[in-house]
Amino acid sequence: MSLEKEIKKRRTFGIISHPDAGKTTLTEKLLLFGGAIQEAGAVKSNKIKKGATSDFMEIERQRGISVATSVLAFEYNNIKINILDTPGHKDFAEDTFRTLTAVDSVIVVIDVAKGVEEQTEKLVEVCRMRNIPMIVFINKLDREGKDAFDLLDEIEQKLGLTVTPLSFPIGMGYDFKGIYNIWEKNINLFTGDSRKDIEDTIEISDLSSSDLNQLIGDKAADKLREEVELVEGIYPEFNKEDYLNGKLQPVFFGSALNNFGVRELLDCFIEIAPQPRPKQSEERLVLPNEPKFTGFVFKIHANMDPNHRDRLAFIKIVSGKFERNTPYLHVRHNKKLKFSSPNAFFAEKKEIVDVSYPGDIVGLHDTGNFKIGDTLTEGEVLNYKGIPSFSPEHFRYINNADPMKAKQLFKGIDQLMDEGVAQLFTLDLNGRKVIGTVGALQYEVIQYRLEHEYGAKCSYEPLNVYKACWVEPDNPKSEEFKEFLRVKQKFMARDKHDQLVFLADSSFSLQMTQQKYPNIKFHFTSEY
Ligand code: G4P
């Protein structure tokens, strides 16, 4: 098959949601449709259950599982679908942000009763900034929830989206009768039987027909007609172009647990969701159908077994064909590397593959060559942009607790930071090292891994920091900037790429600083 055709048949996406909205259940149902798994329960949730004896031990346990769910690939109607895992636990939020640089579109899952939740807001904001096409799936319609119109309002307001429903629920919770598919012009009646692969679909091309009354009763039929009229009056008509440009988000309703509304979502998804998209590098825009291979590392997974300290680097293929045993240029190291056993991912297993195409993810065994954001090419010097760091939420000094093991400690910290486990800042004033994380649990993970994988011991000391802000002066030579550096000396640090960072100790002090130095910009991400 030609490169063009391979590209055309691929859809690489992520499912984002607040924990418990139904991401794992929906993923599983999608895999069932693809015939990739035979029964429900085959995909392990990689979320950390509340109340586990030790959250930390739970993380350790989950790490094993999460390699398996990093990429779930399957075929449906001759389309190759790659689902990239986006961890829901807040301690892994940074991992999820980075995965979003490797998807071509996303599905946002929202719980009909809970509406828009915090984690969803953050993740959708990242997608919006990058104009990633989004489809919204409102889940758990078998339960009592918010009124559909109220919920659509909430999504528009809290998430800043422009929505248009492509399906509409008939009743909800106890009264849930089914779904009218605006996109396909048919009705699915809800039986509550999740064992059925595909629900009965009844064509209804004309809502005013009395067939509708017979199907769902007079009251529900009248209500549906009114609601669909309202939908047509309020919301813009679906337009694929706007969806692909991130300007319009279609909405589906359903119940993942009951396998209801999922096929409609999937059928529409493969029709409208983008094939692998061009990607901007620092040097130029790279198109997927260019014959030469390029790709970038968006995730690194370390092996927890101290006897096998190899890691798996996940590469998203952007252009050309990736082939086994072919030397590729590791641009940052200016060195050619060959991979004898690249892994491709399927529903529940990984396998060595000879060839992969744009949109695919390959896992490369790595002994420490890669860090997140690295680019591989056939020889061209290219650097893919767009794996920003976000300001951590927690900050602590890290100290060496075993003076004999300083070298091991630094190597360990270095490698863990390359993996993206946390962020390291070095204070300008005294060179002390500060670890910033999204979740407090990461400190335990780092301590444990330093000890077990590198034989080094560390201790932490509290440090009062509210946010790390990447600093961009309008004029680096101005008196204003010089004064800022002098006055705020003890709050200034460097990140791993030697970029200047201001560690603000409170939101108030950040505000005051912004007011006092109006010609300096303070960013919450390292890329601006
Ligand atoms: P997550 O990955 O987004 O965190 O959510 P997950 O799929 O694990 O779903 C969270 C809970 O919501 C699960 O229940 C799941 O069974 C339930 N759920 C998912 N979709 C639906 C739906 O359409 N209707 C209803 N009523 N429930 C749904 P749990 O009790 O937390 O877990 P489990 O013991 O069932 O696995």
Side-chain angles (χ1 to χ4, degrees):
M1 210 188 290
S2 71
L3 181 61
E4 281 303 338
K5 278 194 180 145
E6 293 286 356
I7 295 170
K8 245 192 170 143
K9 73 175 271 199
R10 279 167 170 75
R11 304 284 182 277
T12 301
F13 78 107
I15 303 180
I16 58 179
S17 71
H18 192 85
D20 274 348
K23 182 172 69 87
T24 311
T25 313
L26 178 63
T27 306
E28 194 167 274
K29 297 298 146 97
L30 293 174
L31 292 173
L32 276 171
F33 276 113
I37 53 171
Q38 303 324 321
E39 54 183 322
V43 179
K44 305 280 182 307
S45 163
N46 66 2
K47 70 185 166 181
I48 287 142
K49 295 259 184 222
K50 285 179 218 88
T53 37
S54 148
D55 273 354
F56 170 57
M57 285 321 288
E58 190 59 18
I59 285 191
E60 295 304 297
R61 200 177 66 75
Q62 300 290 351
R63 286 177 64 85
I65 297 171
S66 65
V67 171
T69 59
S70 285
V71 186
L72 295 161
F74 65 97
E75 290 223 0
Y76 178 74
N77 283 359
N78 215 15
I79 295 287
K80 177 162 184 217
I81 298 176
N82 295 312
I83 308 182
L84 305 196
D85 188 29
T86 52
H89 192 273
K90 67 175 174 11
D91 275 22
F92 295 116
E94 187 111 357
D95 256 3
T96 296
F97 290 140
R98 275 191 296 256
T99 300
L100 292 179
T101 62
V103 302
D104 297 302
S105 71
V106 300
I107 293 180
V108 185
V109 181
I110 290 175
D111 181 323
V112 68
K114 296 201 178 127
V116 174
E117 296 173 89
E118 188 197 340
Q119 201 102 325
T120 317
E121 274 184 67
K122 282 195 193 155
L123 294 170
V124 167
E125 195 184 330
V126 176
C127 296
R128 234 186 29 225
M129 275 161 42
R130 299 174 162 261
N131 296 325
I132 298 177
M134 288 181 253
I135 296 179
V136 179
F137 181 74
I138 298 180
N139 190 27
K140 307 197 184 180
L141 264 287
D142 56 314
R143 285 196 185 160
E144 282 314 317
K146 300 188 180 188
D147 170 74
F149 287 105
D150 289 349
L151 200 49
L152 293 170
D153 273 356
E154 187 180 326
I155 293 170
E156 292 210 313
Q157 277 161 21
K158 283 202 184 158
L159 299 180
L161 303 182
T162 305
V163 299
T164 187
L166 289 188
S167 75
F168 210 80
I170 307 168
M172 191 183 288
Y174 182 72
D175 269 340
F176 184 49
K177 291 200 166 53
I179 282 177
Y180 173 60
N181 297 303
I182 300 174
W183 173 252
E184 296 178 351
K185 296 231 178 316
N186 58 33
I187 278 189
N188 288 342
L189 292 181
F190 182 63
T191 58
D193 185 356
S194 65
R195 285 162 303 171
K196 281 176 135 182
D197 277 350
I198 293 178
E199 328 87 45
D200 295 330
T201 305
I202 301 151
E203 298 301 320
I204 288 270
S205 47
D206 180 10
L207 272 189
S208 60
S209 137
S210 61
D211 293 354
L212 183 67
N213 296 55
Q214 274 167 19
L215 274 176
I216 59 176
D218 291 339
K219 210 169 135 208
D222 285 344
K223 187 157 179 266
L224 179 65
R225 289 187 188 108
E226 258 171 46
E227 287 177 334
V228 171
E229 205 181 306
L230 210 55
V231 165
E232 285 166 355
I234 307 178
Y235 298 101
E237 203 175 323
F238 176 74
N239 160 335
K240 192 167 158 181
E241 191 90 342
D242 286 349
Y243 155 70
L244 290 176
N245 292 324
K247 293 195 182 115
L248 183 67
Q249 288 77 27
V251 179
F252 286 85
F253 292 83
S255 165
L257 187 65
N258 292 291
N259 212 0
F260 199 77
V262 177
R263 185 200 48 83
E264 291 70 21
L265 173 73
L266 184 56
D267 282 347
C268 178
F269 172 82
I270 58 168
E271 202 174 320
I272 67 171
Q275 59 187 54
R277 306 209 291 173
K279 190 165 175 75
Q280 191 66 44
S281 70
E282 275 167 26
E283 293 75 13
R284 63 183 186 87
L285 185 73
V286 181
L287 305 179
N289 59 1
E290 293 180 18
K292 292 203 168 151
F293 159 74
T294 65
F296 66 97
V297 180
F298 67 95
K299 173 174 180 148
I300 292 179
H301 208 290
N303 195 332
M304 290 301 288
D305 179 349
N307 300 322
H308 299 275
R309 187 106 57 73
D310 64 332
R311 316 191 286 178
L312 206 56
F314 289 80
I315 316 273
K316 160 97 186 268
I317 298 172
V318 178
S319 68
K321 209 158 65 163
F322 175 93
E323 287 179 277
R324 189 156 87 96
N325 280 328
T326 306
Y328 291 121
L329 177 68
H330 183 307
V331 176
R332 184 172 55 89
H333 284 167
N334 189 24
K335 171 165 101 175
K336 291 251 175 168
L337 297 174
K338 245 191 333 199
F339 305 95
S340 58
S341 49
N343 282 295
F345 302 87
F346 299 96
E348 292 165 284
K349 54 183 192 299
K350 53 185 171 57
E351 265 174 21
I352 292 176
V353 278
D354 291 326
V355 192
S356 303
Y357 296 94
D360 284 341
I361 310 298
V362 287
L364 304 179
H365 290 283
D366 172 41
T367 47
N369 279 317
F370 286 120
K371 67 181 190 182
I372 287 181
D374 276 344
T375 304
L376 282 178
T377 71
E378 282 191 29
E380 186 177 351
V381 175
L382 267 186
N383 290 282
Y384 279 113
K385 297 211 293 194
I387 308 215
S389 298
F390 292 81
S391 173
E393 306 279 325
H394 304 266
F395 297 83
R396 290 184 196 170
Y397 285 119
I398 182 162
N399 298 322
N400 184 4
D402 181 351
M404 304 299 287
K405 298 281 170 63
K407 227 174 97 195
Q408 285 87 332
L409 183 76
F410 289 121
K411 183 173 175 210
I413 294 179
D414 216 41
Q415 290 207 348
L416 293 184
M417 299 306 126
D418 285 352
E419 262 178 47
V421 173
Q423 290 178 56
L424 182 72
F425 301 98
T426 308
L427 290 186
D428 272 359
L429 191 63
N430 52 18
R432 287 194 73 179
K433 305 231 176 288
V434 173
I435 301 272
T437 66
V438 176
L441 224 51
Q442 298 295 54
Y443 290 105
E444 277 181 67
V445 174
I446 293 168
Q447 199 164 35
Y448 179 92
R449 292 191 55 193
L450 284 173
E451 191 168 342
H452 289 83
E453 292 172 41
Y454 300 91
K457 284 202 168 78
C458 74
S459 64
Y460 299 110
E461 247 178 83
L463 172 67
N464 180 31
V465 175
Y466 157 70
K467 280 260 152 68
C469 309
W470 281 265
V471 176
E472 185 194 17
D474 286 352
N475 174 8
K477 296 209 170 82
S478 68
E479 284 309 314
E480 179 183 332
F481 188 53
K482 284 185 197 152
E483 184 196 307
F484 163 75
L485 290 179
R486 199 174 55 245
V487 174
K488 297 292 177 191
Q489 197 184 20
K490 70 178 214 219
F491 300 100
M492 301 313 298
R494 302 275 158 178
D495 72 2
K496 256 209 107 195
H497 307 287
D498 216 30
Q499 273 183 285
L500 189 64
V501 176
F502 171 55
L503 301 177
D505 56 357
S506 69
S507 92
F508 177 71
S509 91
L510 176 59
Q511 240 176 349
M512 297 305 288
T513 309
Q514 282 167 321
Q515 275 171 17
K516 192 155 173 218
Y517 304 103
N519 298 309
I520 302 174
K521 292 193 188 72
F522 297 89
H523 304 278
F524 290 144
T525 74
S526 65
E527 198 187 81
Y528 38 83

